[in-house]
Amino acid sequence: MTGVPLPGASPPEQTAVDVVVIGAGLAGLAAATELEAAGCRVQVVEALGRVGGRTASHHRYGQALDAGGGYLGVRHVRVRELAGRFGLALTPTAAPGANLFDLGAGPVRSDAHRPAFNALAVGDALDRLDELAAGVPPADPGTAPDATELDRLTVAAWARREFPHPDARLLIDLLVRQMLAADPAEVGMLHLLFYLASGGGVHYLTAFAGGAQQDRFAGGAHQLAERMAAALARPVRLGSPVTDLHAEQPAPGGTRPATGSIRVVGPQLSVRCARVVVAVPPGPTARIRLRLPGVRRPPGPARTRGATVKLHVIYDRPFWADHGLSGWVTAGAGPLRYVVDDSAGRDGLGVLVGFVTGPDARAYGRLPGAARRTAVLDRLVTWFGPAARRPLALLERDWQVEPTVEGCYAAVPEPGWWTGVGPPWQVPGR
Ligand SMILES: Cc1cc2nc3c(=O)[nH]c(=O)nc-3n(C[C@H](O)[C@H](O)[C@H](O)COP(=O)(O)OP(=O)(O)OC[C@H]3O[C@@H](n4cnc5c(N)ncnc54)[C@H](O)[C@@H]3O)c2cc1C
């Protein structure tokens, strides 16, 4: 990105509002909606040519399929409230039938969503995680007891130290790859605890009925952002990446600018405002150049992990239901580690959603297209039989290559980040 106008670009528009919101994902649009309701003049600016950020849909066979975020549970209180306000219906995720676990010795059927591990070892591991997470304040994880030590340790190292039973360690490995889309050897323990504390604990976050994956939007999650954007007084400025934020300078010989005036600048953009809401992930935030008195950029890298390729494999019908299967799979090896059935019902198309995460996603992203397809279909044939070899379509969304995201499902900072580096911008004394 650069602050210099692109050759041939239209000259930056000069406007003034009370608040500029950077980023038209759900967070930015929700902030803009509330600010407008409070009487502010708000301009949302968005780098991409669409709203929604990490919510987006494929449109195929008359259906919208969530290529990004899609599932929500009872603790998604604000999203559910917005869904209701903007007239969107939810539909349950769980499909009837047996789930499959393929942890090395071939697929095993189960009615549960957790493998048949040693109950004592696994119960102990989950309780320990929730117990430790309860001591981590989501707004300031660095103040948790033993924060420095927990931040230094990777989750893999912590699990090795704490749990002699291999089932406990394998469960934690599966959970981290599923929840954070990262390898436990690259995630700091404090970050995992922060995530659990923010999201409602490990039991809730990994559950379907009653948990974080209970529902999805009927007709696609992208609709929420589109409806929120359409209801704003000022249209979202699309295709307008912000590159610089600086305190307004008086023109030579001119009067001083109003107190608190900030200029939000990009190749197609120049907006003056009193306040800015930055609703952008940490990686892209760290690339915005900043000249605001009292705000400093911490030293050190802002490298974040978390990598996901989300797949939709579409069949003419959900044939796995004929064998009493739910379409839900957890696997101990990549590329496909998790599969969920997102079919609209049992009478229409069959839609299996697959997740390739962490190091698997990085390796998968480097494969040629034909090799990726074979790798995915081979796994599905192992689990669902030869009919899985012939889908109507296989759709991929590789979130690793989105320059305005950097880390998905969410940014996962490296060990030591919370206590050593911290968020991209800091106001000393706060
Ligand atoms: C594959 C996948 C599956 C997921 N599944 C789930 C799920 O099931 N349940 C769940 O709760 N969450 C899920 N998530 C996470 C969820 O989608 C995100 O947490 C949420 O959408 C983030 O919203 P946001 O507004 O904070 O950020 P984003 O949606 O990332 O919005 C930020 C916006 O800022 C824009 N931007 C970035 N830089 C600039 C700049 N310099 N100038 C202007 N604009 C900029 C971006 O283009 C983007 O539109 C998933 C995410 C992915 C990728």
Side-chain angles (χ1 to χ4, degrees), residues 271-367:
V271 184
R272 190 162 59 78
C273 58
R275 295 275 190 275
V276 178
V277 174
V278 184
V280 165
T285 297
R287 288 202 302 273
I288 298 177
R289 285 184 294 253
L290 200 64
R291 275 183 287 136
L292 295 177
V295 184
R296 70 178 175 83
R297 191 186 294 282
R303 196 157 62 91
T304 59
R305 296 296 182 131
T308 312
V309 182
K310 187 170 177 180
L311 304 162
H312 286 81
V313 194
I314 306 173
Y315 298 92
D316 56 0
R317 51 188 287 276
F319 61 87
W320 47 93
D322 302 347
H323 309 287
L325 293 171
S326 68
W328 193 93
V329 186
T330 292
L336 263 192
R337 295 240 181 197
Y338 308 99
V339 179
V340 181
D341 182 347
D342 267 12
S343 310
R346 285 291 174 249
D347 298 328
L349 293 176
V351 181
L352 291 176
V353 173
F355 293 90
V356 185
T357 67
D360 295 330
R362 294 196 281 274
Y364 182 86
R366 289 191 292 270
L367 291 176

Side-chain angles (χ1 to χ4, degrees), residues 1 22-28 45-48 50 52-55 67-72 76 212-213 240-243 279-281 284 288 308 310 355 399 404-405 408-410:
M1 284 198 279
I22 308 177
L26 294 180
V45 295
E46 166 57 49
L48 300 176
R50 62 170 181 85
R54 276 170 278 167
T55 58
Y71 307 113
L72 64 161
H76 282 75
Q213 278 72 234
S240 301
V242 171
T243 54
V280 165
I288 298 177
T308 312
K310 187 170 177 180
F355 293 90
W399 289 90
T404 61
V405 171
C408 56
Y409 321 113

Side-chain angles (χ1 to χ4, degrees), residues 210-299:
Q213 278 72 234
Q214 177 175 288
D215 301 308
R216 59 183 202 272
F217 286 92
H222 69 284
Q223 299 170 100
L224 181 55
E226 288 182 0
R227 291 194 188 183
M228 281 198 283
L232 293 172
R234 282 177 185 71
V236 173
R237 291 202 47 164
L238 298 172
S240 301
V242 171
T243 54
D244 296 81
L245 284 185
H246 54 78
E248 183 76 297
Q249 299 295 322
T255 54
R256 284 187 64 76
T259 309
S261 287
I262 300 171
R263 188 158 287 277
V264 180
V265 179
Q268 279 82 31
L269 192 75
S270 178
V271 184
R272 190 162 59 78
C273 58
R275 295 275 190 275
V276 178
V277 174
V278 184
V280 165
T285 297
R287 288 202 302 273
I288 298 177
R289 285 184 294 253
L290 200 64
R291 275 183 287 136
L292 295 177
V295 184
R296 70 178 175 83
R297 191 186 294 282

